[in-house]
Amino acid sequence: MARTRRPLIAGNWKMNGLGADALALAKGVADGLGKAAWNDRDLLVCPPATLVMAVAQAVRGSAVLVGGQDCHAKPSGAHTGDIAAEMLRDSGAAFVIVGHSERRTDHGETDAAVRAKAEAAWRAGLVPIVCIGETLAEREAGRTFAVLAGQIKGSVPAGATAAKLVVAYEPVWAIGTGKTPTVAEVANAHAHIRKELGGVTAEAPQVRLLYGGSVKGDNAAELLAAGDVDGALVGGASLKADEFLAIAKAVQRG
């Protein structure tokens, strides 16, 4: 069956990257994408805020997209250390990750805070990648679907459309641990997410859903072939151009 949603492979560099090495990584991805001449999928890199503008300039002229890792809900003001969505847009970003589990855990971000950041992304002309996912304790308690439903309801703003929203399912217990759910578990979670999105937007069937959590070149093809999976949000493996491109290549054509 032909794909109806354009696959998206997004690399979250997290708090990694200094000048020269980061630019070399960005150019490596851009050069690799150019050689592959892929035009049926999107590649996105999300460097630290200090590098968004430089990376955007480094990949200019290529098909590589650039995004931020977080944004503040306000466009400006007395918010030391924060970055506005408008600043990311001005630096060359097209997307921004909001609600990543590391932000929810390390900074106590609530669903309401994530929703406000997603709205800020829209205000600035960015596409938010809204992250959701259950902890190991929640999974073992049989609450996975309830947790995902609650996060969707609380984190996705009203007025969402397929063009203005990406949702990433990242089971917290799989991030950076080397552990991954089975393909069936991923497919079931994504099917549930798409069903719950139906209560938020009429365009739920067209919204891109990404899987994240220890995605690597050697397991990407299997994970990306799961039902309702439209791409991946890649962490550590996105810090190596060859590995990141191998994941992108794993998306099934057609």
Side-chain angles (χ1 to χ4, degrees), residues 43-108:
L43 260 68
L44 168 69
V45 294
C46 298
T50 54
L51 292 167
V52 170
M53 182 175 289
V55 168
Q57 292 173 345
V59 301
R60 183 176 295 168
S62 77
V64 178
L65 301 164
V66 179
Q69 297 179 15
D70 182 50
C71 68
H72 195 278
K74 298 288 183 63
S76 62
H79 305 289
T80 302
D82 283 309
I83 184 167
E86 285 80 359
M87 293 174 174
L88 292 172
R89 176 76 175 183
D90 185 58
S91 296
F95 290 75
V96 62
I97 299 168
V98 296
H100 192 281
S101 66
E102 290 158 5
R103 297 290 311 179
R104 292 178 185 261
T105 299
D106 295 349
H107 299 274

Side-chain angles (χ1 to χ4, degrees), residues 190-212:
H190 278 235
H192 179 71
I193 291 167
R194 198 172 298 283
K195 177 183 175 182
E196 293 297 328
L197 278 173
V200 179
T201 172
E203 296 188 12
Q206 288 79 48
V207 173
R208 292 190 285 187
L209 305 184
L210 311 184
Y211 170 74

Side-chain angles (χ1 to χ4, degrees), residues 100-227:
H100 192 281
S101 66
E102 290 158 5
R103 297 290 311 179
R104 292 178 185 261
T105 299
D106 295 349
H107 299 274
E109 292 188 2
T110 63
D111 288 338
V114 175
R115 182 173 66 248
K117 291 183 176 189
E119 291 171 340
W122 291 349
R123 183 188 66 224
L126 301 176
V127 177
I129 300 176
V130 178
C131 298
I132 60 175
E134 81 283 4
T135 65
L136 182 59
E138 289 166 338
R139 184 176 189 82
E140 291 179 341
R143 299 189 59 240
T144 294
F145 283 7
V147 169
L148 297 179
Q151 289 178 331
I152 290 168
K153 183 177 180 180
S155 302
V156 177
T161 66
K164 293 167 53 179
L165 175 70
V166 175
V167 175
Y169 169 54
E170 291 199 308
V172 180
W173 53 272
I175 298 173
T177 64
K179 299 178 181 178
T180 56
T182 66
V183 173
E185 288 171 335
V186 171
N188 288 339
H190 278 235
H192 179 71
I193 291 167
R194 198 172 298 283
K195 177 183 175 182
E196 293 297 328
L197 278 173
V200 179
T201 172
E203 296 188 12
Q206 288 79 48
V207 173
R208 292 190 285 187
L209 305 184
L210 311 184
Y211 170 74
S214 297
V215 180
K216 300 174 182 175
D218 59 4
N219 65 10
E222 187 176 34
L223 290 168
L224 293 171

